[in-house]
Amino acid sequence: MANIQTNETEKLWLGPHTFHIPPELFQLNRKRLVEELRKVCGNSVVLLQGGSELPIYDTDINYIFRQESYFNWSFGVTESDAYGLIDTTTGESYLFFPRLPSEYAVWMGPLKLLDDLKKKYQVDHVHFVEELPIVLQKLNREKLLTLKGPNTDSGLIAKEATFDGIDKFNVDNKTLFPIIANLRVFKTDLEIKVMKYVVEVSSAAHRHIMRTAKAGLYEYQCESEFLNYCYKNGGCRHSAYTCICGSGINSAVLHYGHAGCPNDYQIKDGSLCLFDMGGCYFGYSADITVTFPVNGKFTPQQKIIYEAVLKSNLAVFKAGKPGVSWTDMHLLSNRVLLEELKNGGLLQGSVDEMMQEDLAAVFQPHGLGHFLGLDTHDVGGYLDWCPKRSCRPGLKSLRTARTLEKNMILTIEPGCYFIDPLLDQALADPKKSKFLVPSVLNTFRGFGGVRIEDDVLVTENGIVNLTKVPRTVQEIEDWMSGKDDDKKYS
Amino acid sequence: MANIQTNETEKLWLGPHTFHIPPELFQLNRKRLVEELRKVCGNSVVLLQGGSELPIYDTDINYIFRQESYFNWSFGVTESDAYGLIDTTTGESYLFFPRLPSEYAVWMGPLKLLDDLKKKYQVDHVHFVEELPIVLQKLNREKLLTLKGPNTDSGLIAKEATFDGIDKFNVDNKTLFPIIANLRVFKTDLEIKVMKYVVEVSSAAHRHIMRTAKAGLYEYQCESEFLNYCYKNGGCRHSAYTCICGSGINSAVLHYGHAGCPNDYQIKDGSLCLFDMGGCYFGYSADITVTFPVNGKFTPQQKIIYEAVLKSNLAVFKAGKPGVSWTDMHLLSNRVLLEELKNGGLLQGSVDEMMQEDLAAVFQPHGLGHFLGLDTHDVGGYLDWCPKRSCRPGLKSLRTARTLEKNMILTIEPGCYFIDPLLDQALADPKKSKFLVPSVLNTFRGFGGVRIEDDVLVTENGIVNLTKVPRTVQEIEDWMSGKDDDKKYS
């Protein structure tokens, strides 16, 4: 029996150079959930169903497993096909794992003991899945709370737990969703530590790419190197979302990088790189965009747009704090951008009037930013009782219109893009064209775009930036020329 | 309108340092399909439906798109949500792409013109998806052939094409499947070139990892570096399957690397690394396993097992050629392994009798190898008219029992693992235990395992190895000590 290695997987980490996620993080989430649920329905039990492996079409190869986020938030379980149960009366929690056949040990690895899983996840009880109905019957609570509700970014519906025989219980699938979604908006101190870690790893990866990117490389080679950096150094097996690595004109394609535009252009000398990428650590996601000239030196034209966006970004940092409406922050960043574009000679006339005409959405069709957490576009943006989504250009793409509160984590990501169809539409619309200076504007056709995206924490006093990348023109040029070292950003 | 970059994506490649897949590859596949179908039903039309984007649970983030393999084989289309149609009467082919809203251009990139797509994919006609029923009506063929049939590795069913109004046509979903699945077994010269490319890229990545792996690293750090090598240098955005990076005892876990065992052990000095990884280039997949001592020097014990497996592997290379049954190759490799384990003092008695008792399956529960192509476990293994799957240990895991023919591409992957539950079972079974030498065998407990997996092409005269990695003990030790250079293997 020699050489049996210690099972290091009993910790939620990927070695001592990575962040150790304590099981208390999920215990605390469950505790918070129980406290909220007791206010509305005392004698109930919450049932959540974890994710399952997903085959690639009809093959026996699976996508690498990702845990469902509500389940992850509540239990932190990394294995597939589990159920979790929280008794609101006692506050006790239960996990149910599939009973695996003995052959599993041959193909997939040693069968994990229930006791080991109980220890790993620090729950009160562990069982096999088949025992779920029996446990529920014994508990005999008034209501079985399951999760059902819309994701307001995708329009899809959260995964509702189910099992054979669930119809024998009094299922309530309305109460749980708004409560748990809202709790996910507010990060605990333990969650904030994990978020800081994944944002730091992703920041370091971006800094690395800024120094290795060069003309002649293909965009996807930077994507590849970024993913490697986050995984190898930070244990991020997944990326938070598909990497957007646009160079030149592609930097104006907001969701570049998908299979139709797979980061497959060669980066040309003199062009801007807009790299929007983030690692994902046990589900917790970073979402950072840097924009920089591939050759390390901004042209005057690039500097105008870059600094306009940076001013817009910094204005939000300055104004943002608890009590401030996110919609107002969006409009503030819009206003600053328009002012700067006017100063740069691209626009003319009254900025107030431009704001009334939603002119900023011509240059920044997307929202200022979004909640960030276990999902890249994190949940809770438009719960029933929250301010509704606007219909106005730009604002309609804002993923929440809520008021800032302490412990929210969001992105601040103003941008400015020169997108031909939007410019053409604006030029053809007298209400908008009067503000445009075509002779100048047309020199920016094909320029691409700039986005500056930070991941930030709302604190009592204001906004703290978790992102650690060079941001001013000077910082970027210094960093890319090798002047500064990592210490400045860590 | 300055700076508009040439759209390099009109080629199926990722730059001149990668392999350019000619559209003729897919034209030829369609031609072969038409020829076969004409033999059984002349006046018909084939309809295949491409894959769709897949969201991660209820979020608006998608898994990176992978094309469905039958559709990929027929059309090579990289975009999602397309349909393809092949008229067996005229041999003409049609592609149907979704009509995207003008807003798509803002978020996802310029709308592709149908004419450009026609040129890119070299089909006779391109339309929007909504025109599919009209085109089908005009063609007015007797039968509409759709794809339905089992994947004999997963038990899942191939994606059958469907659209609103398909019930108005005379659908036949029986004819197409066995014909197209069988065609996929035999690679054309154009496909062989792509397969050679992806196997070469993956081989080079393995060689790179063999030199960078060292004690103290975590297994997943080698996974990360492998993926980066294949993507950055070879344009392989996807891996063919989840990387298996087992070290020490984990090398005996056949499908290690999944979320339950995510390559998360620290590699210990003196341990073996069994790394089973392959790149995927526009769907075409490599599947290579190397086993090597992390410190670059085999122990006598490691050498015994490694050389036993290598002899087993080489015996198949020597005997394999058209006309030979794959089942016989599996049994041959088993026999060689048992002989070598006997020579090594782990077994005793008659090898003939061991074969009768399926003793090899104690040490190698899996099959000798499988078809390889657009799927890692490629299709066509057990079509209705093919030799049936055996019920015997080991053989029952063989993914095909067919006779080798020219232009098949397969893996040859014998292995030898010390898996406690299997050893305990064998020791408790008098029919098997009499062959075992417990005193020696027990010194191998915790040893892990060895697998040597090559990707090979069957030619007229025999088997050609496409894999280019160090294989003998001497070659591995030389490579890892830096003696040889890449030229030896390219």
Side-chain angles (χ1 to χ4, degrees):
Chain A
M1 286 299 218
N3 293 332
I4 300 293
Q5 298 179 14
T6 321
N7 190 352
E8 293 157 3
T9 62
E10 295 315 314
K11 280 189 182 175
L12 292 171
W13 75 349
L14 280 157
H17 59 289
T18 64
F19 187 81
H20 175 210
I21 303 182
E24 288 77 15
L25 186 153
F26 308 102
Q27 278 182 318
L28 180 57
N29 284 345
R30 295 193 296 272
K31 188 164 166 272
R32 293 166 67 212
L33 180 60
V34 166
E35 278 167 13
E36 289 304 309
L37 285 172
R38 279 180 182 163
K39 295 176 190 167
V40 290
C41 57
N43 190 23
S44 63
V45 63
V46 170
L47 179 67
L48 292 165
Q49 184 173 359
S52 296
E53 294 272 0
L54 200 60
I56 299 176
Y57 298 101
D58 62 336
T59 74
D60 62 344
I61 307 289
N62 294 328
Y63 290 91
I64 296 182
F65 179 68
R66 301 176 80 129
Q67 188 54 279
E68 195 278 330
S69 295
Y70 286 100
F71 189 73
N72 198 2
W73 182 88
S74 309
F75 294 98
V77 167
T78 58
E79 292 85 0
S80 64
D81 297 309
Y83 287 80
L85 197 149
I86 308 166
D87 183 4
T88 63
T89 307
T90 62
E92 291 188 349
S93 53
Y94 300 69
L95 276 170
F96 299 82
F97 293 95
R99 188 193 292 276
L100 300 165
S102 61
E103 240 207 348
Y104 182 96
V106 175
W107 299 88
M108 306 301 272
L111 296 169
K112 292 177 185 179
L113 300 174
L114 288 183
D115 272 354
D116 290 345
L117 291 163
K118 186 179 165 191
K119 206 171 136 196
K120 178 176 178 186
Y121 295 117
Q122 294 280 312
V123 287
D124 303 292
H125 311 276
V126 283
H127 297 273
F128 289 116
V129 168
E130 71 236 34
E131 297 163 61
L132 173 56
I134 302 160
V135 170
L136 276 172
Q137 256 162 1
K138 275 192 191 158
L139 279 173
N140 194 28
R141 301 296 175 217
E142 224 170 82
K143 282 184 179 176
L144 180 61
L145 305 178
T146 60
L147 187 77
K148 190 177 183 183
N151 181 304
T152 49
D153 293 305
S154 66
L156 300 173
I157 303 296
K159 180 185 172 77
E160 187 174 0
T162 187
F163 61 88
D164 275 351
I166 195 170
D167 51 316
K168 292 187 191 118
F169 299 90
N170 181 24
V171 174
D172 166 350
N173 64 12
K174 296 205 166 40
T175 304
L176 179 61
F177 179 81
I179 290 174
I180 192 169
N182 193 50
L183 283 171
R184 280 180 56 187
V185 171
F186 301 95
K187 274 62 180 177
T188 64
D189 290 349
L190 291 169
E191 283 183 302
I192 289 166
K193 281 185 188 165
V194 189
M195 289 297 292
K196 276 185 176 167
Y197 171 75
V198 71
V199 174
E200 270 170 29
V201 167
S202 305
S203 296
H206 271 294
R207 295 198 305 271
H208 171 66
I209 299 304
M210 288 174 80
R211 281 203 172 152
T212 51
K214 57 177 189 235
L217 282 182
Y218 281 72
E219 296 158 340
Y220 70 84
Q221 294 178 306
C222 298
E223 171 188 0
S224 177
E225 192 64 29
F226 180 89
L227 297 173
N228 185 36
Y229 191 100
C230 290
Y231 193 14
K232 204 165 130 183
N233 300 301
C236 299
R237 193 178 205 181
H238 296 282
S239 59
Y241 49 94
T242 303
C243 293
I244 298 172
C245 295
S247 69
I249 193 170
N250 300 326
S251 57
V253 178
L254 305 180
H255 289 169
Y256 189 70
H258 58 92
C261 299
N263 297 326
D264 59 347
Y265 275 67
Q266 194 173 28
I267 305 172
K268 302 288 190 295
D269 190 26
S271 65
L272 278 182
C273 294
L274 185 158
F275 288 174
D276 183 349
M277 310 189 274
C280 175
Y281 189 70
F282 288 89
Y284 285 93
S285 295
D287 182 359
I288 300 170
T289 309
V290 298
T291 309
F292 60 90
V294 70
N295 59 19
K297 189 82 193 156
F298 283 85
T299 66
Q301 215 189 20
Q302 288 168 347
K303 203 172 162 179
I304 290 171
I305 304 305
Y306 187 86
E307 293 192 326
V309 177
L310 187 59
K311 272 209 178 174
S312 173
N313 169 291
L314 293 174
V316 178
F317 269 98
K318 211 174 157 189
K321 61 181 176 188
V324 161
S325 141
W326 193 238
T327 302
D328 289 344
M329 292 298 94
H330 176 94
L331 294 171
L332 169 67
S333 73
N334 280 178
R335 177 178 291 273
V336 175
L337 182 67
L338 292 171
E339 278 164 2
E340 292 303 309
L341 293 182
K342 186 179 167 186
N343 292 340
L346 290 81
L347 301 181
Q348 57 192 353
S350 151
V351 170
D352 281 339
E353 287 174 30
M354 292 179 202
M355 288 297 292
Q356 279 166 25
E357 292 299 334
D358 301 313
L359 193 73
V362 173
F363 300 95
Q364 186 202 300
H366 61 73
L368 171 64
H370 51 81
F371 292 135
L372 181 68
L374 283 169
D375 291 340
T376 303
H377 302 144
D378 215 18
V379 296
Y382 289 108
L383 296 172
D384 278 348
W385 50 268
C386 296
K388 299 280 170 269
R389 190 186 282 270
S390 164
C391 297
R392 289 172 60 185
L395 271 182
K396 72 179 176 191
S397 298
L398 201 58
R399 296 178 191 275
T400 185
R402 289 176 72 161
T403 296
L404 293 186
E405 292 179 62
K406 191 187 157 189
N407 290 350
M408 287 177 166
I409 289 185
L410 302 99
T411 67
I412 296 180
E413 49 173 312
C416 178
Y417 316 88
F418 297 90
I419 302 170
D420 283 332
L422 294 187
L423 293 176
D424 294 339
Q425 267 173 39
L427 285 163
D429 174 358
K431 286 185 183 168
K432 290 199 170 73
S433 64
K434 64 180 175 186
F435 302 116
L436 306 177
V437 184
S439 61
V440 182
L441 210 50
N442 282 334
T443 66
F444 284 88
R445 297 247 190 194
F447 170 97
V450 169
R451 179 160 63 250
I452 298 176
E453 180 177 26
D454 288 312
D455 300 340
V456 309
L457 170 68
V458 183
T459 64
E460 258 168 84
N461 310 313
I463 287 180
V464 172
N465 194 355
L466 309 180
T467 322
K468 295 176 175 179
V469 297
R471 278 301 188 207
T472 68
V473 164
Q474 192 63 52
E475 282 172 349
I476 291 173
E477 293 185 350
D478 283 353
W479 176 258
M480 291 181 71
S481 72
K483 260 187 202 158
D484 295 318
D485 64 8
D486 271 307
K487 276 180 206 149
K488 184 172 172 179
Y489 296 99
S490 52
Chain B
M1 290 295 217
N3 292 333
I4 300 293
Q5 296 178 15
T6 320
N7 189 351
E8 293 158 3
T9 63
E10 295 316 313
K11 279 188 181 176
L12 291 172
W13 74 349
L14 279 158
H17 58 291
T18 63
F19 186 81
H20 175 213
I21 302 183
E24 288 77 14
L25 185 154
F26 308 102
Q27 279 183 318
L28 180 57
N29 284 347
R30 294 193 297 272
K31 188 165 167 272
R32 292 166 68 210
L33 180 60
V34 166
E35 278 167 14
E36 290 304 309
L37 285 171
R38 278 180 182 163
K39 293 177 191 169
V40 290
C41 57
N43 190 23
S44 63
V45 62
V46 171
L47 178 67
L48 291 166
Q49 185 173 359
S52 298
E53 293 272 0
L54 199 61
I56 299 176
Y57 298 101
D58 61 336
T59 74
D60 62 344
I61 308 289
N62 294 328
Y63 289 91
I64 297 184
F65 179 68
R66 302 176 78 130
Q67 189 53 280
E68 195 280 328
S69 296
Y70 286 99
F71 189 73
N72 198 1
W73 182 88
S74 309
F75 293 98
V77 167
T78 58
E79 291 85 0
S80 64
D81 298 310
Y83 287 80
L85 196 147
I86 307 165
D87 183 3
T88 63
T89 307
T90 63
E92 290 187 352
S93 54
Y94 301 69
L95 275 171
F96 298 82
F97 293 95
R99 190 193 291 274
L100 301 166
S102 62
E103 240 210 347
Y104 182 96
V106 175
W107 298 88
M108 306 302 274
L111 295 171
K112 292 177 185 179
L113 301 173
L114 287 184
D115 273 354
D116 290 344
L117 290 164
K118 185 179 165 191
K119 207 171 136 197
K120 179 178 178 186
Y121 296 116
Q122 294 281 312
V123 288
D124 303 292
H125 312 275
V126 282
H127 297 274
F128 289 116
V129 168
E130 71 236 35
E131 297 163 61
L132 174 56
I134 303 160
V135 170
L136 275 173
Q137 254 162 5
K138 275 194 190 156
L139 278 174
N140 195 26
R141 301 297 176 214
E142 224 168 82
K143 282 183 180 176
L144 180 60
L145 306 179
T146 60
L147 187 75
K148 190 175 182 185
N151 181 305
T152 49
D153 292 307
S154 67
L156 300 172
I157 304 296
K159 182 185 169 78
E160 186 173 1
T162 188
F163 61 90
D164 275 351
I166 195 170
D167 50 316
K168 290 188 191 117
F169 298 91
N170 181 22
V171 174
D172 167 350
N173 65 10
K174 295 205 166 40
T175 305
L176 179 60
F177 179 80
I179 290 174
I180 193 170
N182 194 47
L183 283 170
R184 279 180 58 187
V185 172
F186 301 94
K187 274 64 181 177
T188 65
D189 290 348
L190 290 169
E191 284 184 301
I192 289 166
K193 280 183 189 166
V194 189
M195 289 297 292
K196 275 185 177 167
Y197 171 75
V198 72
V199 174
E200 268 170 28
V201 167
S202 305
S203 296
H206 272 293
R207 295 198 305 270
H208 171 66
I209 298 305
M210 288 174 79
R211 280 204 173 152
T212 51
K214 58 178 186 235
L217 283 180
Y218 280 72
E219 296 159 341
Y220 70 85
Q221 295 178 305
C222 298
E223 171 187 359
S224 177
E225 191 65 29
F226 180 89
L227 296 173
N228 186 37
Y229 191 101
C230 290
Y231 192 14
K232 203 165 133 184
N233 301 301
C236 299
R237 193 176 206 185
H238 295 283
S239 58
Y241 50 95
T242 303
C243 293
I244 298 170
C245 295
S247 70
I249 193 169
N250 300 324
S251 57
V253 178
L254 305 179
H255 289 170
Y256 190 71
H258 58 95
C261 299
N263 298 325
D264 59 348
Y265 274 68
Q266 194 173 27
I267 306 173
K268 303 287 189 297
D269 190 26
S271 64
L272 278 182
C273 293
L274 185 158
F275 287 176
D276 183 349
M277 309 190 275
C280 175
Y281 189 70
F282 288 87
Y284 285 93
S285 296
D287 184 358
I288 299 171
T289 308
V290 297
T291 308
F292 60 89
V294 70
N295 58 19
K297 189 80 193 158
F298 283 86
T299 64
Q301 217 189 17
Q302 288 168 346
K303 203 172 162 181
I304 289 172
I305 305 305
Y306 187 86
E307 293 194 325
V309 176
L310 186 59
K311 271 208 177 171
S312 173
N313 169 290
L314 293 174
V316 178
F317 269 100
K318 209 173 158 190
K321 60 182 178 189
V324 162
S325 142
W326 192 236
T327 302
D328 289 345
M329 292 298 95
H330 176 93
L331 293 172
L332 169 66
S333 73
N334 279 178
R335 177 179 290 275
V336 173
L337 182 67
L338 293 172
E339 277 163 4
E340 291 304 309
L341 293 183
K342 186 179 167 185
N343 292 340
L346 290 82
L347 302 181
Q348 59 193 353
S350 151
V351 170
D352 281 338
E353 286 174 29
M354 293 179 202
M355 289 297 292
Q356 277 166 28
E357 292 299 333
D358 300 313
L359 192 73
V362 174
F363 300 95
Q364 185 203 299
H366 63 70
L368 171 63
H370 50 81
F371 292 136
L372 181 69
L374 283 168
D375 291 339
T376 303
H377 301 144
D378 215 18
V379 296
Y382 290 106
L383 297 169
D384 279 348
W385 49 267
C386 295
K388 300 280 170 270
R389 190 186 282 269
S390 164
C391 298
R392 288 172 59 185
L395 273 180
K396 73 180 176 189
S397 297
L398 201 58
R399 295 176 191 277
T400 185
R402 289 176 71 161
T403 296
L404 293 186
E405 293 181 61
K406 193 186 157 189
N407 290 350
M408 286 176 168
I409 289 185
L410 303 98
T411 66
I412 297 180
E413 50 174 311
C416 178
Y417 316 88
F418 297 89
I419 303 170
D420 282 332
L422 294 186
L423 293 177
D424 294 339
Q425 266 174 40
L427 284 164
D429 174 357
K431 284 184 181 169
K432 291 198 170 75
S433 64
K434 64 179 174 185
F435 302 116
L436 307 177
V437 184
S439 60
V440 181
L441 210 51
N442 282 334
T443 67
F444 284 89
R445 297 247 190 193
F447 171 98
V450 169
R451 180 160 62 250
I452 298 176
E453 180 178 25
D454 289 310
D455 300 341
V456 308
L457 169 68
V458 182
T459 64
E460 257 169 86
N461 308 314
I463 287 180
V464 173
N465 194 354
L466 309 180
T467 321
K468 294 174 175 178
V469 295
R471 280 302 188 203
T472 66
V473 164
Q474 191 65 52
E475 282 172 349
I476 291 172
E477 293 186 350
D478 283 353
W479 176 259
M480 291 182 70
S481 72
K483 262 189 200 153
D484 295 319
D485 65 8
D486 271 307
K487 275 180 206 149
K488 181 170 174 181
Y489 296 100
S490 52

